Amino acid sequence: MSRMKHRRTAIMLLLLAMSSVLILGGCGTDTPKENSSETTQTGEIDPALAPNDDSEAGEEANDPVAALQTENALAQTVEQQNGKATVTNAESNLVVVNKERSLPDGYEPPDLVEPNVKFSFSEAHEKRHMRKEAAEALEKLFANAEENNIELNAVSGYRSYKRQQSLYSYYVDTQGEEYASRVSAVPGTSEHQTGLAIDVSSPSVGNVLEQVFGDSAEGKWLAQHAHEFGFIIRYPEDGESITGYLYEPWHIRYVGVEAATAVYNNKTTLEQFLGE
Ligand SMILES: [Zn+2]
């Protein structure tokens, strides 16, 4: 009997460990994106002014999505800094931060604000913040959800390099480096540090950041409508080989309406959208 009990305990521990990975996976490693709206606007305004002798440039000017893709192409937005592949477009709405692409050391977004939406907690905290454009889009998303009787709660937005560092060190100290790298993002590689990502859940599932949210009415609504407000489900189901993370139906990332709609319509990932 006691052997059975041990076995059961071992299984419980395993499940617990697996769920921590789910909870902290991409959320530990979120990347920032920046505002490419200027680019978009340029693309929209410029077509008439664009030289016609270059048909490719002309097409891009007429197609804001193509212009965004060119400007933020993965291969063009990374360079070696302090021995790490570091993004060169940290402030772009389309910046891609992942396990292979870090933010510059100590990066802080320039325009963090607190969106006026319902959070799952009441205290003041840096995780209430997002970059301004993303925060305004989140307010519209939440307002629209409410109109459709969908109750969302914001759970965790911006995460500073410093906080990611202490989170990561905590895992290294208590569980060892290998475990830490599996459950938490190496500082500088969390999309939450960009100020463009936020974890969202619903009281209907106890505001947990787990896959069960994806099966709830709120999670389904979010997956279907986030792009209308410029957000994508950053770590889609079956995307691990590309994004580096398991499915995270709760983690949304602001990229602007044009890019989000393209990613949604093509059922793709940000990495693939920008050329990988
Ligand atoms: Zn997250």
Side-chain angles (χ1 to χ4, degrees):
M1 280 305 272
S2 90
R3 211 167 145 188
M4 284 266 293
K5 217 166 165 184
H6 279 301
R7 213 175 132 203
R8 217 181 299 154
T9 310
I11 290 168
M12 288 287 284
L13 283 171
L14 186 67
L15 286 173
L16 206 66
M18 283 169 73
S19 70
S20 324
V21 172
L22 293 182
I23 290 164
L24 294 164
C27 292
T29 19
D30 289 359
T31 51
K33 68 184 173 176
E34 77 157 31
N35 290 332
S36 335
S37 60
E38 276 178 30
T39 310
T40 312
Q41 280 165 8
T42 307
E44 282 167 357
I45 291 161
D46 278 353
L49 305 171
N52 287 327
D53 55 335
D54 185 335
S55 65
E56 259 185 34
E59 272 168 34
E60 261 169 30
N62 283 313
D63 182 350
V65 171
L68 289 173
Q69 286 173 306
T70 304
E71 177 143 333
N72 295 280
L74 292 184
Q76 262 72 62
T77 52
V78 70
E79 67 182 21
Q80 287 292 315
Q81 274 179 29
N82 303 326
K84 286 179 300 195
T86 305
V87 298
T88 55
N89 61 341
E91 289 185 18
S92 169
N93 277 342
L94 284 169
V95 64
V96 175
V97 178
N98 58 30
K99 289 176 178 174
E100 268 112 46
R101 299 162 61 96
S102 293
L103 284 165
D105 281 346
Y107 173 77
E108 282 179 28
D111 51 5
L112 292 172
V113 297
E114 188 175 324
N116 184 19
V117 299
K118 223 172 135 194
F119 277 82
S120 61
F121 57 94
S122 56
E123 66 270 25
H125 198 286
E126 72 171 28
K127 67 186 175 187
R128 283 180 171 272
H129 295 81
M130 291 190 90
R131 291 193 59 192
K132 193 163 184 290
E133 187 179 325
E136 288 169 0
L138 190 75
E139 288 173 355
K140 288 183 189 143
L141 171 74
F142 270 53
N144 192 263
E146 203 178 331
E147 282 165 21
N148 288 283
N149 297 316
I150 292 293
E151 190 178 5
L152 297 175
N153 277 184
V155 177
S156 188
Y158 173 62
R159 188 181 301 148
S160 64
Y161 182 89
K162 215 172 146 190
R163 190 153 62 91
Q164 185 66 35
Q165 201 168 33
S166 57
L167 193 67
Y168 191 76
S169 306
Y170 168 79
Y171 283 111
V172 171
D173 293 347
T174 56
Q175 320 267 0
E177 184 101 42
E178 199 213 288
Y179 181 82
S181 69
R182 283 175 50 220
V183 300
S184 181
V186 173
T189 69
S190 170
E191 188 167 73
H192 284 272
Q193 196 188 330
T194 66
L196 297 168
I198 191 159
D199 299 326
V200 165
S201 190
S202 172
S204 75
V205 295
N207 285 323
V208 293
L209 303 180
E210 293 172 22
Q211 293 193 359
V212 64
F213 172 65
D215 298 324
S216 68
E218 294 81 6
K220 286 179 181 162
W221 184 90
L222 186 66
Q224 280 165 15
H225 297 281
H227 68 280
E228 295 163 19
F229 304 89
F231 290 91
I232 57 170
I233 304 294
R234 177 71 175 85
Y235 307 114
E237 221 163 350
D238 303 322
E240 193 188 2
S241 64
I242 295 151
T243 65
Y245 291 98
L246 292 169
Y247 177 41
E248 292 193 358
W250 62 86
H251 177 110
I252 56 173
R253 152 75 193 264
Y254 184 74
V255 292
V257 172
E258 289 92 350
T261 302
V263 168
Y264 175 82
N265 288 338
N266 294 312
K267 296 184 168 54
T268 190
T269 61
L270 192 55
E271 278 85 357
Q272 289 164 303
F273 177 68
L274 294 172
E276 209 170 79

